[in-house]
Amino acid sequence: MKDFTSTPSPVKHIAEPTVRRLSGYLRFLEAFDAEGHETISSGELARAGGTTSAQVRKDLSFFGSFGKRGLGYGVKDLIASLREILGLDTRWPVVIVGAGKIGAALAQYRGFGTHGFDVVGIYDTDPSRVGTHLNGVTVRADGDLEGDIAALTPRIAVLCVPGEAAQAALDRVVGAGIRAVLNFAPTSLVAPEGVTVRAVNMATELEVLAYALTNESRD
Amino acid sequence: MKDFTSTPSPVKHIAEPTVRRLSGYLRFLEAFDAEGHETISSGELARAGGTTSAQVRKDLSFFGSFGKRGLGYGVKDLIASLREILGLDTRWPVVIVGAGKIGAALAQYRGFGTHGFDVVGIYDTDPSRVGTHLNGVTVRADGDLEGDIAALTPRIAVLCVPGEAAQAALDRVVGAGIRAVLNFAPTSLVAPEGVTVRAVNMATELEVLAYALTNESRD
DNA sequence: GGGTGCTTGTGAAATCCTTCACAAGCTACT
DNA sequence: AGTAGCTTGTGAAGGATTTCACAAGCACCC
């Protein structure tokens, strides 16, 4: 049995649902830690994350062995391990493209910073927004985007532009070297191989709910 | 072979990824229709939605038979069918709980209304926000929540409260009869059986991207 | 120091989802 | 009317993920 205490191994391909759950465990553990708990069992973690204890253990087992049999997991240790697994042991510079309602709301969102992500630039085409300040970062002109990406080397871009402008915005940030994008525009985007795009789409979420309500013939 | 032209059958359990994709197809088809296209093939739809043509056809086949062999799908017909499948042939009243940055941004989001969802109420505990207007809806006092839900019978609640308040907000709307919730708070919530909760969690999305960037040793 | 009670880690089984591959069916053209 | 060229709809195969079930391991107590 290998000792993975200090280096979770990335090893093989991990399914996205697994990564999402790990993120959820981390979120809950942070709150649990703040409440002063020292240890947690896979069962408790499962209940909080809406899954099963076997799932929790399997998810973690891909990366190593973090618990103590009979006892559970050390809360602080597991937090540290999950941070390392998810790549949160460094800070990630992020640019936001679009300073409208959503872009502005995001820029002012505190959790951004407290979770390891630093907003290093916000860009907008509207001259009346350029120069305004959002949570300490000045909105810059759209045209500065490429130059700033080259200079500040953010790894992640968050797109908060209208749907019609989203594909063009994606192409620009990808052209400038960005390989990971979070898209808030209600359009599905095509990206070249090697670029990860995640979408947050309110319409889709609401439609999933509408579908669920429409088909309550479940039991 | 049955004729399902006017009534897509809800029939058996459909996987959530399928429903999400259907929503994505609908979004793309609306844009495609606006460009004046009459028909579309499963291959074109697949490219736009980031999937395969077989997947598109399989997704649709759960609900009936909507295309013409050799030709593809009628864009307007398919839009109508997808709307019906997703339960968008009626309008859905929605309440927003929390009128902070995110709640306010959502309330002013136009796409809400154009996709069949009507914001019928926004609630906040902060007296300085109560009485302000957001896109034609007046922010009401937190205490009015239960009474308004009883009176206006919204089926969906969108939670935009801070993490610490999210579980309590969920319990309240569920108590008042809501069975579908979209949670923007960065906390995972526990809901009773029969209540559908979907979460939009920025931290998780960013962490999935961080994980992807950290493990680029793929190919 | 051995027993008891609890919880992890993990192969194997089961379930779920996606991809394959091809018959069926439509249109256009000769 | 027959043929050629596309594209759908769908069983069946293949892969992936989740669940099961149990041996292994730790702490506490007598």
Side-chain angles (χ1 to χ4, degrees):
Chain A
M1 201 142 297
K2 302 259 200 62
D3 175 57
F4 280 126
T5 48
S6 84
T7 314
S9 55
V11 185
K12 49 156 50 183
H13 180 252
I14 300 296
E16 189 185 303
T18 301
V19 179
R20 295 186 98 73
R21 284 192 300 268
L22 292 176
S23 168
Y25 303 154
L26 175 56
R27 198 101 325 97
F28 177 75
L29 285 167
E30 286 166 343
F32 205 63
D33 180 44
E35 286 172 12
H37 295 89
E38 299 277 322
T39 64
I40 191 169
S41 71
S42 58
E44 293 172 275
L45 205 36
R47 227 163 298 126
T51 177
T52 67
S53 63
Q55 181 80 77
V56 170
R57 294 197 301 276
K58 182 62 87 175
D59 286 343
L60 294 174
S61 78
F62 292 127
F63 299 93
S65 182
F66 306 102
K68 282 197 173 50
R69 301 184 183 212
L71 281 192
Y73 301 86
V75 173
K76 284 193 194 306
D77 288 352
L78 192 50
I79 288 174
S81 298
L82 286 172
R83 286 230 177 92
E84 189 175 350
I85 290 168
L86 292 171
L88 304 177
D89 42 3
T90 48
R91 296 194 68 81
W92 294 93
V94 170
V95 287
I96 298 177
V97 184
K101 299 268 165 42
I102 305 168
L106 288 188
Q108 291 169 69
Y109 172 56
R110 282 294 157 75
F112 238 117
T114 62
H115 283 285
F117 300 90
D118 293 313
V119 178
V120 298
I122 311 179
Y123 302 85
D124 206 293
T125 48
D126 183 344
S128 72
R129 284 181 188 146
V130 174
T132 60
H133 297 269
L134 294 169
N135 202 28
V137 183
T138 307
V139 177
R140 288 171 57 79
D142 192 51
D144 295 329
L145 185 58
E146 280 86 352
D148 283 9
I149 291 178
L152 304 168
T153 63
R155 306 288 308 277
I156 297 173
V158 179
L159 305 184
C160 303
V161 300
E164 318 83 70
Q167 184 67 56
L170 175 74
D171 295 343
R172 285 182 63 195
V173 298
V174 168
I178 294 275
R179 310 263 298 260
V181 176
L182 182 53
N183 176 34
F184 278 83
T187 324
S188 88
L189 304 176
V190 276
E193 185 76 10
V195 176
T196 307
V197 179
R198 307 239 23 93
V200 172
N201 193 327
M202 178 113 30
T204 293
E205 301 301 333
L206 287 172
E207 284 166 11
V208 171
L209 291 176
Y211 178 85
L213 286 173
T214 307
N215 295 74
E216 272 171 346
S217 51
R218 163 114 36 95
D219 43 272
Chain B
M1 203 141 298
K2 302 258 197 63
D3 176 58
F4 281 126
T5 47
S6 83
T7 313
S9 54
V11 185
K12 49 154 51 181
H13 180 251
I14 300 295
E16 190 187 302
T18 302
V19 179
R20 296 186 98 74
R21 283 192 299 268
L22 293 176
S23 168
Y25 304 154
L26 174 56
R27 199 100 324 100
F28 177 75
L29 285 167
E30 286 166 342
F32 205 62
D33 180 44
E35 287 171 14
H37 295 89
E38 300 277 321
T39 64
I40 191 168
S41 70
S42 57
E44 294 173 276
L45 205 36
R47 226 161 301 125
T51 176
T52 67
S53 64
Q55 181 80 78
V56 170
R57 296 197 301 276
K58 179 65 75 174
D59 286 343
L60 294 173
S61 77
F62 292 127
F63 299 94
S65 181
F66 306 103
K68 283 198 173 50
R69 300 182 184 213
L71 280 190
Y73 302 85
V75 173
K76 283 195 197 305
D77 289 352
L78 192 50
I79 288 173
S81 299
L82 285 173
R83 287 230 177 90
E84 191 177 349
I85 290 168
L86 292 171
L88 304 177
D89 43 3
T90 49
R91 296 195 67 82
W92 295 93
V94 171
V95 288
I96 298 178
V97 184
K101 298 268 165 45
I102 304 168
L106 288 188
Q108 291 171 69
Y109 172 55
R110 283 292 157 75
F112 237 115
T114 62
H115 283 284
F117 300 89
D118 293 313
V119 178
V120 298
I122 311 180
Y123 301 85
D124 206 293
T125 46
D126 182 346
S128 73
R129 285 181 188 145
V130 174
T132 61
H133 297 270
L134 293 170
N135 203 29
V137 183
T138 306
V139 177
R140 287 172 58 77
D142 191 52
D144 294 330
L145 184 58
E146 280 87 353
D148 283 8
I149 290 177
L152 304 167
T153 64
R155 307 288 307 278
I156 298 173
V158 179
L159 305 185
C160 304
V161 301
E164 317 84 70
Q167 184 67 56
L170 175 75
D171 295 343
R172 285 181 62 195
V173 298
V174 167
I178 294 275
R179 309 262 297 261
V181 175
L182 183 53
N183 174 36
F184 278 84
T187 324
S188 90
L189 304 175
V190 276
E193 187 74 12
V195 176
T196 307
V197 179
R198 308 238 24 94
V200 172
N201 191 325
M202 179 112 30
T204 293
E205 301 301 332
L206 288 172
E207 285 166 12
V208 171
L209 291 176
Y211 178 85
L213 286 172
T214 307
N215 297 74
E216 273 171 346
S217 52
R218 163 116 37 97
D219 43 273

